Amino acid sequence: MSIAAALSTEASAGPVGGGGAQAQPVRKARLGAYLLLAPGMVYLFVFFVLPIFALLATSLYVKTPGAELGVYDPAFRWQNYLESLGAYYPEILRSFGYALVATVAALVIGYPMAYVIAIRARGKPLLQGLLLVLVIAPFFTSFILRTIAWKQILADEAWVVAGMKFLGILPPDGRLTATAFAVVCGLTYNFLPFMVLPIYANLERMDTRLVEAGGDLYANGPTTFARITLPLSMPGIVAGTLLTFIPASGDYVNSSLLGNNATTMIGQAIDRRFLVTLDYPTAASLSAILMIIILVLVMVYVRRAGTEELL
Amino acid sequence: MSASASTRPDESGADLVLEHVTKEFATFTAVDDLSLTIPQGSFFALLGPSGCGKTTTLRMVAGLESPTAGTIWINGKDVTDTKPYNRPVNTVFQSYALFPHLSVLENVAFGLRRKKVADAREKAQQFLDLVELGHLAERRPAQLSGGQQQRVALARALVNNPAVLLLDEPLGALDLKLRRQMQVELKRIQTEVGLTFVHVTHDQEEAMTMADTVAVMNAGKIEQMGRPEDLYELPRTAFVANFLGQSNLLPGSVVDSGELVGVDVGGARVQLPADRAVSTSGKVLVGVRPEKLHLVAPGEEPQAGWNVLPDAVLTDVSFTGVSTQFRAEVPGLGTLSVFEQNSRGSRAAAAGDTVRLAWDPAYTFGLDGDEDVDDGVTDGDE
């Protein structure tokens, strides 16, 4: 979205340097822009572009016959990808499944939060600030600690389980720890702020006079929301769902702390391949597969949502 | 959703009635015990300076604010507690408030779609044609100019055929030339569709050009209401006299009563028709519009029976082409404005000249002597 904006300014700046007296300042301005970009470019080249190539190269390595554990020879062994897919497609599917459920849950929980902070608390900066701090507050504690806390919340002897059993939602011998439910809960909780903040930023800018205009034109509250507020907040929803879905699908902390052997996500598998079995080619090819799938999904999603028009 | 089915038989012909409507906010009273009847099919203007409560009044009619006290009737129905979306009222908002994610056509069709009108697209297109924007139906509002957006907002409201159309300073964001053009256009459309228009504005010229009836509002109350000509020729308060055009207001005291009241202003005796005076005894303000005043040069004689102020010294002369505007200092009365038409060439009067000021008593109006002479004076033309 912002990339598109950057590209369009680049494009419009392009033909300006036509010549004459104008050319000199334009060239100078462009040089300045490159200088400003340089630190970031260098940093990303060294710590992102090079490692990506290293990763992609590793994904095609071949095991040296008779060599020690973790030693591989450079090669172009494309079968690595097929073997990784064959061995880990359940984890891949499960990861995207969990991420999807967590994203939907975060949207359902997060949208009303963002709406209240941006629209209902508008004009009350103190309340707005307090609510925003509450949304961001979890970041003051470590991600791992917060996830471990969910173990306590969902523990057999805790009130959540007791309450659900009392209501008959959970069978008498049921439990929540080490289940898919716990993993999705953890994912939803951990990525909720990434859903709330973009939607908040979007709704914050919304002109509430449009809501008045909706009421004036015979649309009641729910209709005004569905026809005006919701469509206008689509860019925020798209940004929020992407910021939730992408890290959630690659997450390995929640499933390892809150799940069991049957809830393994792809992040965990990559983690284990890299660090436990030292199977670098498989781990690298799984990483590449994950990246490609996410990239394709995001492109299809942004197209589908048609949010370019709104920005 | 008929909040109360009671109707007012005595007001059945009136479209919009406000009865003792008051709106109090936490720190001030925006609208103070306002009662108003706006007949069906009229072009009604609520005119006043910013903060006078005119927009709050409009928002209460639209249902966007609810009155603290009082009742609002539309077509004989009490709508005081009716939600905006259930009122037969549409608004042209000051900011237009067009939906940015919908095409121009869909903006116009929005109200029709909510009311489940069958041929919404065709009707919307028809009204876009009425405001001469039929060819831009598929554009987004952001792709239109300010004047075009204004027309879309108008079409979006009109297409629903409301009992009352509310216009909240709709021309405020347009430049002067476009504003004059739209004034004519709005008047044409109102005549064509025959709906009741309630127009809120702070621009007195706009109100007088378009409206059949103008209500001048000040501090939450209506100061005076009537035809623009009547308001201009016979203001009843200093606020109206100064806010609607300019006035020379001369403090004086009544010395002689009768059909023509004799008033002493700064030593000169002037006459004021009793039926044009708010009060005919004690202290009064004698008012006369600048264009009614005439300069009488030394050697000339004023017409018989006219009011005359002697010993006026011209302090400023500005030639504007059509007319010449003079400022004249009269001892004991302060500075008066005089506009003279240049229909027979401009007058050879210069600053420093001593002249007499004369006018026909029939154009004199009398106000309450306790009023502030400067009430409602605006700086320049807004």
Side-chain angles (χ1 to χ4, degrees):
Chain A
M1 292 157 261
S2 56
I3 297 169
L7 284 176
S8 70
T9 40
E10 180 66 26
S12 65
V16 174
Q22 281 271 302
Q24 202 55 25
V26 168
R27 212 165 290 152
K28 238 178 199 170
R30 197 173 296 171
L31 184 69
Y34 286 139
L35 279 175
L36 287 171
L37 281 175
M41 296 299 254
V42 170
Y43 184 87
L44 285 177
F45 184 79
V46 174
F47 295 105
F48 177 69
V49 178
L50 289 183
I52 284 277
F53 277 105
L55 183 85
L56 291 176
T58 310
S59 71
L60 299 170
Y61 279 11
V62 66
K63 191 160 179 59
T64 319
E68 269 182 76
L69 195 66
V71 178
Y72 299 89
D73 286 336
F76 284 99
R77 190 170 183 275
W78 296 96
Q79 290 102 305
N80 284 351
Y81 279 83
L82 289 178
E83 286 169 16
S84 302
L85 260 178
Y88 287 102
Y89 73 90
E91 279 83 359
I92 294 174
L93 288 178
R94 189 180 298 131
S95 295
F96 288 119
Y98 287 177
L100 184 70
V101 176
T103 304
V104 171
L107 179 63
V108 170
I109 299 168
Y111 195 102
M113 285 168 74
Y115 183 84
V116 167
I117 302 172
I119 306 271
R120 290 299 163 92
R122 191 173 282 193
K124 297 166 195 149
L126 217 67
L127 179 65
Q128 225 172 11
L130 180 74
L131 291 172
L132 276 177
V133 166
L134 287 178
V135 170
I136 303 164
F139 292 124
F140 298 153
T141 349
S142 119
F143 184 68
I144 308 279
L145 273 181
R146 279 183 282 136
T147 310
I148 291 172
W150 270 85
K151 268 186 162 169
Q152 305 287 316
I153 295 168
L154 300 176
D156 291 347
E157 56 279 3
W159 64 269
V160 176
V161 169
M164 286 173 80
K165 280 179 179 166
F166 178 77
L167 291 172
I169 306 169
L170 205 66
D173 59 340
R175 51 185 316 195
L176 292 177
T177 43
T179 60
F181 177 79
V183 176
V184 171
C185 278
L187 288 172
T188 306
Y189 166 76
N190 277 313
F191 296 109
L192 187 59
F194 297 102
M195 181 66 82
V196 174
L197 292 176
I199 299 178
Y200 159 77
N202 177 279
L203 286 174
E204 224 279 317
R205 280 178 310 174
M206 204 184 91
D207 186 352
T208 47
R209 287 174 296 193
L210 296 175
V211 174
E212 285 191 345
D216 188 66
L217 293 163
Y218 315 114
N220 59 19
T223 310
T224 302
F225 178 78
R227 297 278 168 180
I228 298 164
T229 311
L230 192 63
L232 284 176
S233 57
M234 271 319 276
I237 293 174
V238 169
T241 46
L242 288 179
L243 285 177
T244 307
F245 182 79
I246 296 171
S249 51
D251 181 76
Y252 62 97
V253 173
N254 285 282
S255 63
S256 44
L257 290 179
L258 300 171
N260 59 37
N261 286 337
T263 65
T264 312
M265 290 174 72
I266 190 66
Q268 261 174 298
I270 295 170
D271 175 55
R272 205 171 303 148
R273 282 280 146 183
F274 258 122
L275 302 177
V276 180
T277 53
L278 306 185
D279 180 1
Y280 303 133
T282 305
S285 59
L286 281 175
S287 301
I289 290 168
L290 183 64
M291 260 188 322
I292 291 162
I293 295 178
I294 288 177
L295 216 62
V296 170
L297 284 178
V298 166
M299 273 160 57
V300 170
Y301 178 60
V302 171
R303 274 279 157 84
R304 267 284 159 105
T307 42
E308 306 94 309
E309 273 185 2
L310 286 169
L311 295 176
Chain B
M1 199 168 270
S2 51
S4 73
S6 62
T7 51
R8 287 163 50 94
D10 54 317
E11 297 280 4
S12 54
D15 229 336
L16 174 62
V17 179
L18 280 77
E19 235 179 19
H20 302 293
V21 170
T22 296
K23 177 67 186 180
E24 282 163 10
F25 289 108
T27 50
F28 70 106
T29 303
V31 176
D32 190 2
D33 193 29
L34 185 105
S35 292
L36 193 63
T37 299
I38 298 174
Q40 195 158 17
S42 64
F43 199 132
F44 188 93
L46 269 176
L47 172 68
S50 55
C52 74
K54 57 190 193 298
T55 295
T56 307
T57 307
L58 198 79
R59 289 175 61 85
M60 285 192 287
V61 175
L64 301 172
E65 304 281 357
S66 50
T68 315
T71 319
I72 297 169
W73 308 78
I74 295 173
N75 280 342
K77 242 200 198 151
D78 180 354
V79 297
T80 315
D81 298 317
T82 306
K83 296 274 185 207
Y85 53 86
N86 285 323
R87 294 190 189 203
V89 166
N90 290 109
T91 310
V92 178
F93 291 90
Q94 185 169 15
S95 56
Y96 314 140
L98 298 177
F99 306 127
H101 59 298
L102 299 179
S103 70
V104 165
L105 186 72
E106 280 307 314
N107 263 281
V108 178
F110 192 91
L112 299 173
R113 293 210 190 280
R114 302 289 82 73
K115 286 200 295 186
K116 308 259 186 288
V117 173
D119 50 350
R121 275 187 79 89
E122 289 73 29
K123 275 195 86 176
Q125 184 65 47
Q126 196 185 321
F127 273 77
L128 271 180
D129 291 337
L130 177 76
V131 296
E132 291 160 2
L133 287 180
H135 57 294
L136 300 178
E138 296 310 320
R139 297 262 183 101
R140 295 283 166 138
Q143 293 170 292
L144 305 187
S145 72
Q148 291 170 332
Q149 291 186 21
Q150 207 277 329
R151 285 155 189 259
V152 175
L154 184 65
R156 185 177 70 170
L158 278 176
V159 72
N160 304 297
N161 194 30
V164 183
L165 184 81
L166 305 173
L167 301 117
D168 184 10
E169 304 243 11
L171 310 180
L174 305 181
D175 63 53
L176 192 70
K177 203 176 149 204
L178 203 54
R179 204 151 71 205
R180 296 282 171 263
Q181 204 179 315
M182 279 308 295
Q183 285 172 10
V184 177
E185 179 114 4
L186 265 179
K187 185 72 197 163
R188 169 183 74 83
I189 290 170
Q190 196 264 338
T191 318
E192 210 168 309
V193 296
L195 296 176
T196 310
F197 277 36
V198 180
H199 184 118
V200 156
T201 181
H202 65 262
D203 182 338
Q204 42 120 348
E205 195 180 327
E206 188 173 301
M208 290 203 281
T209 317
M210 294 194 285
D212 314 320
T213 310
V214 176
V216 180
M217 265 189 97
N218 181 30
K221 287 180 182 292
I222 289 184
E223 290 264 331
Q224 193 178 345
M225 194 170 109
R227 298 192 312 136
E229 298 87 337
D230 297 342
L231 287 186
Y232 185 80
E233 295 300 344
L234 190 57
R236 311 304 296 205
T237 67
F239 182 87
V240 176
N242 289 321
F243 192 76
L244 217 61
Q246 288 183 40
S247 290
N248 296 303
L249 298 179
L250 316 170
S253 44
V254 174
V255 290
D256 184 16
S257 60
E259 216 167 287
L260 280 175
V261 181
V263 185
D264 177 88
V265 288
R269 192 187 146 120
V270 297
Q271 288 184 310
L272 162 68
D275 57 357
R276 290 176 60 86
V278 173
S279 80
T280 53
S281 63
K283 280 171 48 179
V284 293
L285 286 179
V286 173
V288 59
R289 295 288 189 181
E291 74 279 5
K292 306 293 191 304
L293 285 175
H294 292 270
L295 298 186
V296 180
E300 291 178 349
E301 271 312 308
Q303 293 195 39
W306 279 31
N307 291 328
V308 180
L309 296 176
D311 305 328
V313 180
L314 296 181
T315 54
D316 184 52
V317 178
S318 49
F319 175 72
T320 64
V322 180
S323 64
T324 306
Q325 306 190 1
F326 301 93
R327 308 276 294 161
E329 180 82 32
V330 179
L333 291 175
T335 306
L336 276 69
S337 286
V338 183
F339 297 168
E340 281 219 330
Q341 290 296 317
N342 294 329
S343 47
R344 271 163 294 173
S346 57
R347 180 188 283 273
D353 290 2
T354 301
V355 295
R356 284 183 288 176
L357 302 177
W359 74 96
D360 186 341
Y363 296 124
T364 318
F365 53 87
L367 306 175
D368 190 329
D370 292 330
E371 282 207 87
D372 178 5
V373 174
D374 293 325
D375 198 9
V377 173
T378 50
D379 310 328
D381 49 343
E382 276 185 283

